[in-house]
Amino acid sequence: MSTHAQNAHSGVLGMLKKIVSSESFSGIFLFLCAVLAMIIANSPLGDMYRALWHFHWGFSWGSTPIELSMEHWINDVLMSFFFLVVGLEIKYELIYGALASFKKAAFPVLAAVGGMVVPGLIYYVLNAGTPSENGFGIPMATDIAFALGVMLMLGSRVPVALKVFLVTLAVADDLGAIIVIAIFYTTNLQLEYLGAAVAILVLLVILGKLGVRSLVPYLVLGVPLWLAVHACGVHATIAAVALAFTIPAGSKLAVADYFKKSAHDIKEMQDEDKNRDRDILSDDQAHTVAHLIKHSQQVQSPMVRLQHALHPWSSYFIMPLFAFANAGVEIGDSVRFDVDNILLGIACGLIIGKPVGIFLATFLCEKLGIAERPDGVSWIDILGAGMLAGIGFTMSIFVTMLAFKGLDPSIMQESIDLAKLTILCSSLTAGILGALFLIFESKFTKH
């Protein structure tokens, strides 16, 4: 290969690596997987696509067979890892981030509350008294990957403070969605299994109090916790969030002590190396390196370490796979647009309810002196961020699968398909409107 070709090849690879590593790419990839699912579902491969997700497979746990469809393996098992990451992110924000103090948290948290209550009310009012009224939680959610991805693509047109506000709002929104799932989408509560889940959680908390910083016991106990929560009637992904809150945030070794120990060890290695000619570590130096590795592990927060380890899997595998498995709605005679007011409830909730709820909640909280707007964020900015928060997608589809599963089988799939299609179209509309709004605002407003 010529030098020019090699440079071109490395240039292309470098560009692709830069694109994939960008924060906005996970949202773009998620969208592409959803579009691909729609294309395949409405192609000659549609029957194979639908049959794939209903294929059952599993294994035996002792004498207990565990067998689920591919759809349930993704929605119940893999998505538990997604919710584990969400739980870790929420815990981080509550301890160290924007939710760590009332002053910091009040404004975005109240924005999230407004952005959940208003869409939920819109949906419920439009569907009250119908079999579909239980879907009020669908337009409450915000997809942080999509919403932040759109905002990051706008670059300098959006003030940094607004990006921080949207991220914090989305984290608080995730916490709200988890509470809604736990309270409103729990069926046939089995108290004996709930007791087992509580007992395991108590054991996990005790491990944290005893100073256990290894992730192994927490993750091992996470398996029976998931099984107990799944069996008790609460959706199993709540087990992942509960597990996340038990993962220790503090490190075993203080940062200042780590610097002292590391500096001492490195100095010893350097002093010994002055009298040696070989370009290889001595036994003492190898022993010192082992100490450095041990100290480097001890100074890391188990919570942050697990979050960083799982985040790429969540962003580039679990969420895209979930989108690919659930977004493939066959558009045709099978889609009934007149099932109650599902279409109007979700569309109005996400496109109108989200920005209106967020704007009204923040406006009132500032006027009442409860909290103040972040510096550098205007009311127009808040409205634009509210529009982007109308991108529900992942969480909205997830809630859909819970909200309608108790319906009569004759209308259940019709309701789910209509809800999914409406979520996709409404999220796309909200994203486009929000992006255009912020672009035009940046042309007329100087931050």
Side-chain angles (χ1 to χ4, degrees):
M1 187 183 288
S2 66
T3 304
H4 178 74
Q6 286 179 336
N7 290 337
H9 181 65
S10 61
V12 170
L13 287 177
M15 182 181 68
L16 287 174
K17 186 177 179 181
K18 187 176 180 181
I19 291 171
V20 171
S21 62
S22 70
E23 290 183 80
S24 61
F25 180 76
S26 61
I28 297 169
F29 186 45
L30 196 62
F31 175 72
L32 292 176
C33 287
V35 171
L36 181 62
M38 290 287 289
I39 292 171
I40 293 176
N42 291 277
S43 74
L45 297 174
D47 290 338
M48 290 177 60
Y49 169 85
R50 284 177 285 276
L52 173 63
W53 310 122
H54 290 96
F55 174 73
H56 281 69
W57 68 279
F59 56 92
S60 293
W61 182 279
S63 59
T64 305
I66 298 175
E67 186 174 296
L68 299 170
S69 67
M70 285 288 289
E71 181 181 49
H72 282 97
W73 278 112
I74 294 168
N75 294 354
D76 293 353
V77 181
L78 277 184
M79 283 299 283
S80 291
F81 289 96
F82 163 74
F83 275 89
L84 178 57
V85 174
V86 169
L88 292 169
E89 289 173 349
I90 291 171
K91 183 175 181 179
Y92 180 88
E93 293 297 329
L94 287 169
I95 298 174
Y96 304 113
L99 303 178
S101 68
F102 179 81
K103 187 176 179 181
K104 286 182 179 180
F107 195 82
V109 167
L110 288 172
V113 171
M116 294 183 73
V117 171
V118 174
L121 281 175
I122 289 174
Y123 181 96
Y124 188 80
V125 168
L126 289 170
N127 289 276
T130 71
S132 305
E133 66 181 8
N134 202 37
F136 63 87
I138 297 171
M140 286 184 170
T142 294
D143 190 303
I144 187 171
F146 257 138
L148 185 59
V150 173
M151 189 169 276
L152 289 172
M153 284 190 287
L154 297 177
S156 59
R157 296 185 185 91
V158 177
V160 174
L162 186 63
K163 294 173 185 174
V164 174
F165 167 75
L166 182 63
V167 170
T168 311
L169 182 154
V171 170
D173 189 283
D174 282 343
L175 180 57
I178 290 162
I179 293 170
V180 168
I181 291 170
I183 295 174
F184 296 104
Y185 297 117
T186 294
T187 56
N188 301 320
L189 195 63
Q190 302 293 318
L191 294 180
E192 64 272 24
Y193 288 109
L194 180 61
V198 171
I200 295 169
L201 277 174
V202 170
L203 181 56
L204 286 164
V205 171
I206 291 172
L207 288 177
K209 295 294 183 183
L210 291 175
V212 177
R213 291 295 179 266
S214 170
L215 287 169
V216 174
Y218 295 95
L219 296 179
V220 168
L221 284 172
V223 176
L225 176 64
W226 185 94
L227 292 170
V229 172
H230 179 73
C232 81
V234 179
H235 197 272
T237 51
I238 300 301
V241 179
L243 174 63
F245 276 80
T246 67
I247 303 292
S251 59
K252 192 171 184 178
L253 182 66
V255 175
D257 291 336
Y258 171 71
F259 287 147
K260 288 179 184 177
K261 289 176 182 290
S262 300
H264 178 264
D265 287 342
I266 291 171
K267 187 175 185 304
E268 278 192 346
M269 289 179 67
Q270 289 174 330
D271 290 342
E272 185 182 339
D273 210 50
K274 290 176 182 177
N275 303 317
R276 301 176 71 251
D277 296 327
R278 291 184 300 168
D279 190 20
I280 188 171
L281 294 177
S282 67
D283 290 341
D284 287 340
Q285 287 177 320
H287 186 67
T288 303
V289 169
H291 267 282
L292 281 169
I293 294 171
K294 180 182 176 183
H295 294 152
S296 297
Q297 291 173 339
Q298 290 177 338
V299 78
Q300 296 177 64
S301 160
M303 176 185 71
V304 175
R305 193 164 79 245
L306 183 60
Q307 182 185 346
H308 286 174
L310 291 178
H311 191 272
W313 288 97
S314 175
S315 297
Y316 298 112
F317 176 67
I318 296 171
M319 288 174 67
L321 183 59
F322 174 83
F324 183 69
N326 289 278
V329 179
E330 186 180 6
I331 303 172
D333 296 336
S334 61
V335 178
R336 280 186 52 202
F337 293 95
D338 61 342
V339 180
D340 300 329
N341 285 311
I342 292 176
L343 189 152
L344 269 178
I346 296 174
C348 292
L350 289 175
I351 299 170
I352 299 171
K354 272 289 184 181
V356 169
I358 289 169
F359 186 87
L360 285 179
T362 51
F363 185 79
L364 286 173
C365 85
E366 182 167 286
K367 294 304 176 185
L368 294 173
I370 299 172
E372 292 183 1
R373 236 178 325 132
D375 293 335
V377 176
S378 68
W379 287 117
I380 299 296
D381 290 330
I382 296 292
L383 188 59
M387 290 180 176
L388 290 183
I391 304 174
F393 198 67
T394 306
M395 288 295 281
S396 292
I397 291 177
F398 186 82
V399 173
T400 296
M401 306 304 290
L402 301 178
F404 296 140
K405 70 177 183 180
L407 292 180
D408 188 287
S410 62
I411 62 168
M412 182 178 69
Q413 196 56 50
E414 292 176 346
S415 300
I416 290 174
D417 286 346
L418 177 58
K420 286 181 181 179
L421 189 58
T422 308
I423 290 165
L424 292 171
C425 294
S426 299
S427 295
L428 182 61
T429 302
I432 292 171
L433 289 176
L436 290 175
F437 185 88
L438 289 171
I439 288 171
F440 281 115
E441 187 228 343
S442 69
K443 291 185 179 294
F444 297 104
T445 307
K446 199 168 186 178
H447 292 289

